[in-house]
Amino acid sequence: MSTTNAGLAKKLGYKNIRVYLEGEPAWSEAGYPTYTSKGFIDTGNIVLIDLRASHKAVEGRIKRAVSVPYDDLEDKINDIPRNAPVILYSDDKEEATDAVDDLRSDGFKHVALVPGNYAGWVSAGGAIETGPIASTEIRWQRILGKGEVSVADFKKATDGGDPDVFVIDSRTEEEVAELGIFKNTVNIPLDEIPGRMNELPKDKKIYVHCSTGARADMAYQELKKNGFDVKFLLLNIDEAECDCEILRP
Amino acid sequence: MQIHPKKIILLGIIALFTFTGCASDKAQGPTAVKPVTEKAEKVFKGKIAGKSNKAKSISIVVGKGDKAKTVMLKFDDNTKGLEFAKKGSAAIIKYDIKDGEKFATIIKPKLAKLPAGVTEIKTEELRGLYENNADMTVIDARPASRYAQARLPGAISIPVPEMKMGKETVLPANKEQLLVFYCGGPT
């Protein structure tokens, strides 16, 4: 990608070309700030946080922003969904970059700043809203990725409420023996799936799960390649969100 | 259960953001289309789609476009270079057939090749250029949607197709000026 562009630029006669092969992930990992764009702030599936003092947010804030003054950030950090892209702005450059640091050190992977902070947004003609803030609740819903089944649909199937679904537990036999298995679920360890496809119904939907979703994703790829109507659960089944009934050994 | 809850966070993020690695484009290069004869070493080149230590399996996406398919291989403690089998990374996997199953023997990272006359820049050097307000144009080569989410300070967006079509009109007029291209990294 970057190397392709660099090659094209070289052909066009540019003399001084470098490629930052490690790219944006390395930049973020090194703790340096990244910036987002207006379109993403307007319509992206993000959590937008106004770090300024709350009276400033009342006077005027970026549309959709939630007010979390920087002094409160540490207390509220667990209210911010960890999978969400988090966009921050302030009226103090240092405070904004400190907040990026705080979130990243706490494990947030996708944190970026509004270019030029609040003033930059206003001068770029971005949409603002004013007046009292009705709710300080941070709301965000992850959009399911390709091939993912929703927790609700998955739970319905393991509860026996969807006879058109065949559920596979792709963990090892040892894990199942130790931890139990969901109801209405068949254990086929990931490495046995390629050899046991004849056991799977072609006329039903297949949901695959494992302990976190990593193996289920691989099983999904393999089954999809073989023409099955398949989805996988990307979720740590230990989490409270997955409140599926377990048959204990 | 033995899986740390933080793992799911990582996986969620991986699913949410499909990384576009620097090396991914290289599969279209001439090396990838060389016909592999029967006697040649068995090898897969592509992007790692997943690795499971519990199932001792790696899946790798080989081929491009409609011909892309996911291949699953087994591995064990003798497999070399397992650290390069990272989801999203471009890798080269040598394998053997054992009991009818593909068995990874050596895994190597597939490195991006720099065009002649172009040099790599590392994070700290780039940071230094920013600190010194160097006269440079930083160009994000990833798709525009990725650029929109998070970009380096002051970077402009020129995805590869645009660069191919727009040519120099999208670049600064001064051909002596420093250009720094980046994308989603090798992973």
Side-chain angles (χ1 to χ4, degrees):
Chain A
M1 306 251 309
S2 53
T3 50
T4 312
N5 272 5
L8 289 166
K10 189 83 196 165
K11 278 190 194 137
L12 290 167
Y14 286 87
K15 299 198 170 57
N16 204 355
I17 305 172
R18 312 284 304 267
V19 175
Y20 181 37
L21 278 178
E22 293 168 317
E24 185 265 311
W27 183 260
S28 302
E29 210 163 288
Y32 300 132
T34 50
Y35 295 85
T36 187
S37 64
K38 188 172 177 302
F40 195 55
I41 296 165
D42 281 334
T43 59
N45 187 28
I46 58 168
V47 171
L48 178 63
I49 295 176
D50 187 328
L51 295 165
R52 300 170 303 156
S54 48
H55 72 269
K56 288 185 181 167
V58 172
E59 283 162 26
R61 60 193 175 270
I62 299 180
K63 221 174 159 189
R64 306 207 289 158
V66 286
S67 169
V68 182
Y70 182 61
D71 289 342
D72 301 346
L73 184 64
E74 211 182 308
D75 293 336
K76 294 223 172 148
I77 208 158
N78 288 323
D79 296 344
I80 307 169
R82 267 147 208 282
N83 295 335
V86 181
I87 313 297
L88 308 168
Y89 68 93
S90 170
D91 48 8
D92 180 312
K93 199 177 167 187
E94 202 172 316
E95 187 177 273
T97 47
D98 283 353
V100 170
D101 240 18
D102 294 345
L103 286 172
R104 283 183 182 153
S105 346
D106 209 68
F108 286 82
K109 292 281 183 215
H110 296 278
V111 188
L113 294 170
V114 175
N117 275 318
Y118 186 66
W121 178 259
V122 173
S123 66
I128 58 167
E129 50 189 9
T130 56
I133 301 157
S135 167
T136 52
E137 195 192 338
I138 298 168
R139 258 172 278 154
W140 185 79
Q141 196 77 48
R142 195 167 68 86
I143 295 168
L144 291 181
K146 200 179 160 205
E148 271 184 64
V149 60
S150 71
V151 178
D153 285 354
F154 181 82
K155 189 168 158 35
K156 190 178 167 196
T158 55
D159 285 348
D162 193 343
D164 291 329
V165 174
F166 184 89
V167 184
I168 299 173
D169 179 341
S170 63
R171 294 176 300 164
T172 61
E173 285 170 17
E174 293 75 34
E175 287 173 275
V176 171
E178 187 194 338
L179 304 157
I181 190 164
F182 293 141
K183 285 164 68 182
N184 302 297
T185 299
V186 178
N187 176 222
I188 309 180
L190 171 66
D191 53 324
E192 293 180 20
I193 285 176
R196 291 175 63 179
M197 291 203 190
N198 56 346
E199 295 173 34
L200 307 176
K202 279 267 181 190
D203 58 344
K204 285 189 178 191
K205 281 183 281 185
I206 294 173
Y207 295 166
V208 193
H209 84 85
C210 58
S211 52
T212 62
R215 282 172 285 176
D217 187 359
M218 289 163 76
Y220 157 77
Q221 304 281 354
E222 186 72 15
L223 291 169
K224 196 170 150 54
K225 189 176 78 183
N226 283 280
F228 287 96
D229 180 6
V230 58
K231 286 184 173 175
F232 72 101
L233 183 72
L234 184 65
L235 182 76
N236 186 326
I237 56 172
D238 275 354
E239 283 192 15
E241 199 191 332
C242 181
D243 178 28
C244 306
E245 197 176 329
I246 296 170
L247 301 175
R248 296 282 172 191
Chain B
M1 231 175 270
Q2 59 274 61
I3 297 294
H4 195 271
K6 277 213 167 159
K7 270 208 160 175
I8 190 63
I9 294 160
L10 271 171
L11 288 163
I13 290 160
I14 290 163
L16 192 64
F17 295 88
T18 339
F19 291 106
T20 43
C22 284
S24 61
D25 202 50
K26 280 282 141 189
Q28 290 168 327
T31 49
V33 292
K34 260 186 207 162
V36 179
T37 58
E38 278 303 303
K39 279 178 188 170
E41 211 159 11
K42 293 181 190 68
V43 65
F44 286 122
K45 290 178 187 178
K47 200 176 199 176
I48 302 291
K51 182 181 102 177
S52 166
N53 288 320
K54 287 204 192 104
K56 300 265 178 212
S57 304
I58 300 165
S59 42
I60 181 166
V61 181
V62 294
K64 278 276 155 183
D66 292 344
K67 286 182 183 151
K69 56 171 187 166
T70 312
V71 185
M72 203 147 80
L73 302 106
K74 306 278 286 173
F75 68 84
D76 64 14
D77 294 342
N78 296 320
T79 304
K80 292 195 179 86
L82 269 176
E83 67 271 27
F84 301 118
K86 267 201 313 198
K87 184 167 175 157
S89 301
I92 301 167
I93 304 182
K94 288 185 184 169
Y95 67 97
D96 278 334
I97 305 281
K98 252 192 245 173
D99 305 325
E101 283 185 306
K102 297 180 192 77
F103 219 92
T105 51
I106 302 170
I107 304 163
K108 284 181 181 165
K110 208 163 106 212
L111 300 170
K113 287 194 193 87
L114 289 171
V118 172
T119 53
E120 187 184 353
I121 186 165
K122 295 279 190 184
T123 307
E124 289 314 315
E125 193 188 345
L126 182 57
R127 177 66 182 175
L129 293 176
Y130 273 112
E131 298 261 297
N132 296 325
N133 294 313
D135 182 24
M136 62 173 175
T137 302
V138 180
I139 302 140
D140 188 321
R142 300 172 301 168
S145 60
R146 299 280 294 121
Y147 167 85
Q149 290 172 14
R151 62 169 184 261
L152 266 55
I156 59 167
S157 168
I158 313 181
V160 175
E162 221 169 280
M163 182 80 187
K164 282 179 176 163
M165 289 187 301
K167 304 278 174 174
E168 58 259 69
T169 57
V170 292
L171 290 172
N174 174 11
K175 296 202 170 179
E176 307 286 330
Q177 204 202 45
L178 173 62
L179 305 181
V180 178
F181 290 94
Y182 75 91
C183 52
T187 60

